[in-house]
Amino acid sequence: MTARSRTAGRQRPQRHFPLQVLLGFLVVYFLVPFWWVIVNSSKDAPGLFGGGNTMWFADRIDYVENLTRLFTYDGGIYGRWILNSTLYALAGGVGATILSVMAGYGFAKYRFAGRRFSFSVMLGALMVPATALVIPTFIMFSGLGLTNTIWAVILPSLLNPFGVYLMHVYARDAVPDEILDAARADGAGEIRTFFRVAFPLMRPAVVTVLLLSAVASWNNYFLPLAMLSDNRLFPVTVGLGVWQGVASANNAGSTSLWSLIILGALVSVIPLVIAFFTLQRHWRGGLSVGGLR
Amino acid sequence: MKRKSLITAAALLAAAGAIAACSPDQGKSTANAGGNDASSCTNTIPKKQLPVVTMWGWYPNTQLVVDNFNKQSNEVQVCWTNVGQGGDEYDKFQTAISAGTGAPDVIMIEADRIPTFQIQKALVDIKNYGFDAVKANYSDGAWKDVSIGGAVYGVPVDGGPMAMIYRKDIFDKYKITPPKTWAEYEQAAQKVKDAGGPLFGDLGANVPAVMMALQIQKGATPYAYDPAQPESIGIALNDQASKDVLDYWGNLARKGLVGTQDQFTPEYISGVINGKYATYISAAWAPGYLTGAGVGKGEDTGKFAVAPLPQWDSANPMQVNWGGSAFSVTSQAKNPELAAKVAYGLYADDESLTDGWTNQIIFPLNLKALNDPKFVDLKVSFFDGQQANKEVYVPAANAYTGMTYSPFGQYYFDSMTKQIGAVIDGSITGAQAADRIQEDVANYAKEQGFTVQ
Amino acid sequence: MTLLIEESAASTQKKAHKVRGKVRLREHLMGWLFVGPFGIVFLALLIAPLAYALYLSLWQKKLIGGTNFVFLGNYVKAFTDPTFLSGVWFVVRFSLVAIPLQIVIALAMALIVDAVTSLFTRFSRLMIFLPYAIPTVIGAVMWGFLYSKSFGPLTDIFGLFGATAPDFFSKNLIFYGLINVVTWQWAGYYMIILYAALQGIDPSLYEAARMDGAGKWQIALRIKIPLIAPALLLILVFSLIGTLQFFNEPQILRYLAAGTIAPGFTPNMYAYQQAFALANFNYGSAISFALGGVVFVCVYAFLFFTRKRRSFL
């Protein structure tokens, strides 16, 4: 209750202290795995397996050596995986966003024949197990000679019905018809109106959809797992999964991969964490509208 | 405002394009990469003018093996990719078979998987591509494991004669000697437990191949399969021997004498390092694996030794095998004859073999190495200088007579893993597990069109 | 989903009278021009594969005897296949526990960070959201290590209380082990969506309620939660769809607990095993389709249920 007197002068009263403690516990829960990974990626194999405190550093802190091993193992394959993931996330994210913005705007602002039908079909597609598509897509792509190429990963990630839905809702609410009509009255064509008037208004949602699509591509596992067999095309998720398989299977031989897997997991999350935190101001706006209406 | 966003979007696109362009395998050139396309090798090909054969493999020293081959060959060069180990590679290969494209020319597979792929016509009989020249380099047993009927579907590289690795410090502390029979194994386990010692061994659900080998050791013959009549197969997975062995391990687990940890996991390795298990029933390649995982170093140095696999009937000892691989030529090979040259020649030169056995990555089946006194007399540092090959592994390998595997190895092992899991959690007995595996696999076989005997 | 469609339809009707016949053709054209590119991708990468999968699922491939047309035979087999049924039962049970748990935690956190603006809550908001930036596969790898008795923290933590650490890889506890992984992974994401929705509420509503003598709790329960009900509904539907398709986490944890997590642990894993490990694309497709049917039924049942009760939210 001392907290009461201390914060009495503030606008927000003391009652939130227990809430903040509760929140504190939750934060600890959400951070524990990160802490474990940070600590244990500094250890070598004996340090990892040989007992000792699991939540604190061993005597030998070996980030430099582990990092060197991570980026040189198997000809520096890990660095390639990170680059691949970046490529897939950027290409898939940007492509999906362009398609979603256009389609969302089209659905929201034009009453064309088949609009209602195609919109409901698209919403129904949200329910299709994304993984269910992997099997037939694989067979189709292998017929086209596309399996085991970067396109096998990028093309399917262009499809983002949720992005279309989000853009549709946002365009409907944030782009008033009156402004569009005014632009048209001024003699601007439809395309020009879209780029000059509508697009700037839709910007927060564009950032949101871009981030969500990029994250979806970055996180993709099942699809590239099935599509790719050349390990130099793997995204980092599949690569680490394969390492875990190698480390778990017999015969793995002379190198212990476990410390590389832990450090690899840590390094792989850094780009996304940075992207999220630097961009968070820009993209929450898009979500609020998408969620509310 | 609008211009800025457009520029941003354009820049992102450009960046994406740039990265795509930077990667050496861009766009169409990667079609069928990893499989038949030579552009995606992990190794560098020294003699660029020669034809190239693609190969998948996961030996830890494959890089060296491939380089040695490429250096010596004036006919063909090998382009190697590691697409994953064991199951991961088989899934990829299986997928490539279904797709009709994407498989390599030569593939490393464990002998027990050969019928699985052969029945899908995914492998090439290499008997007419130079078999006679190398026939004498391997024992008849080794050839048997890679042959179906009169046809040869692989070139043996390494084997996995089984033995019992144990910790000398634990055995000394509890005053026990290496058990010679499985009855003694259980007694010793009980003795250690009563004295408050660690677990004696481990029953891992994820190593069904071990269970299969141990069942065969007691006299089980899981499959009877004659490739002359490919539609008919004999399946006997719940005969008395199979039931007995599953029950034996189930009982050890229930009594708390052995652990039930999946093997090769960090948890298990950590247990081995920290002396949680007194013995490890495994194969000749295990020391290399354990060394790599950090076992036998530091405080653990010299604590391990190896003894022959315990027997059911010491008057009639039976030796079995776990793992070991071969190089096979796939039916997607562009030039099977050239691919066969690679399969026969890879990992068959002295330098590669010596590197393999010195680092205990492989237990060589090539008689050049197997009969090499240096190999036989090797004082294995992992076993504190014990002459493990001479004392244990070579006699075990020589007494091994080969097995008959099934054309649906993947399904069989999956089923076994599931039922061992059920034995471990105590919901069924070993005998019940054997019955379920039999029913499951027999049903699958019928469904796949086989006549089950 | 029907709710959403109807809402969007209503908004179109409002401006319907504005449209003149002359402009109609142009409007059709422009509409399709904007929707077209997505439509092409949609047809090529969703409708076509689905149709193909449907076609494949009507055939049966055998190792001996080749491929035969079996019509609905694979579906009959799937719905009598104990492995598939137990997989479905698992994901349904899992959804029933995991989703409410995630939503309750997410809602509680969202309400707290919405009501209390301090440096700490802002920091917490970021930290709680952090796991969403982690690929599910990597998250599963991390928890796989944390569950280890030898070098995870569980032994130490439970040791403090003199207890033995639970083995989350055992058959009895794997359910909870996975619940924990998905909660950790997704609760922060749902929290952000709900928080964004809460921030969208007009603050004058709170003022009015306070005037009427409503306390903090009452405001939260009577005003905030009903107003973000659409957002709640949205994340409920998405988490339901996602959870029924459970794949990544168990697939990765299989490397550590093969005996507990069999290949047919969830329907999606079963489809993967059939298609890619056993080369049975036909049965794999049928399982995927059957799972799609289950998802469809569950989502519609859920929407039907919530629609009736919507007034209580």
Side-chain angles (χ1 to χ4, degrees), chain A residues 102-110 112 115 118-119 122 164 168, chain C residues 35:
Chain A
M102 287 176 64
Y105 177 77
F107 276 126
K109 293 298 163 191
Y110 294 98
F112 53 90
R115 173 184 166 284
S118 42
F119 193 72
M122 190 208 70
V164 178
H168 163 79
Chain C
V35 177

Side-chain angles (χ1 to χ4, degrees), chain C residues 188-204:
Chain C
Y189 175 57
Y190 298 146
M191 184 271 289
I192 287 285
I193 294 183
L194 294 176
Y195 171 72
L198 284 170
Q199 294 280 295
I201 299 176
D202 183 356
S204 64

Side-chain angles (χ1 to χ4, degrees), chain A residues 49 80 87 138 142 145 148-149 151 195-196 200 203 225 228-232 246-254 256 258, chain B residues 2 5 13 16 19 25 27 30-31 33 39-40 60 82-83 85 92 95 99 264 266 269-270 273-274 285 288-289 292-293:
Chain A
F49 298 130
R80 269 197 82 120
L87 167 68
F138 173 82
S142 82
N148 208 14
T149 69
W151 304 113
F195 280 117
R196 290 253 154 145
R203 228 174 49 121
L225 176 70
L228 304 175
S229 52
D230 180 357
N231 62 0
R232 305 191 315 159
V246 170
S248 306
N250 51 14
N251 256 343
S254 51
S256 174
W258 291 112
Chain B
K2 140 239 131 175
S5 344
L13 264 183
I19 294 180
D25 345 62
T30 40
S39 74
S40 64
N82 182 353
V83 299
Q85 179 145 5
K92 290 281 177 214
T95 308
F264 304 110
I269 297 163
S270 158
I273 290 183
N274 296 322
W285 40 257
Y289 174 77

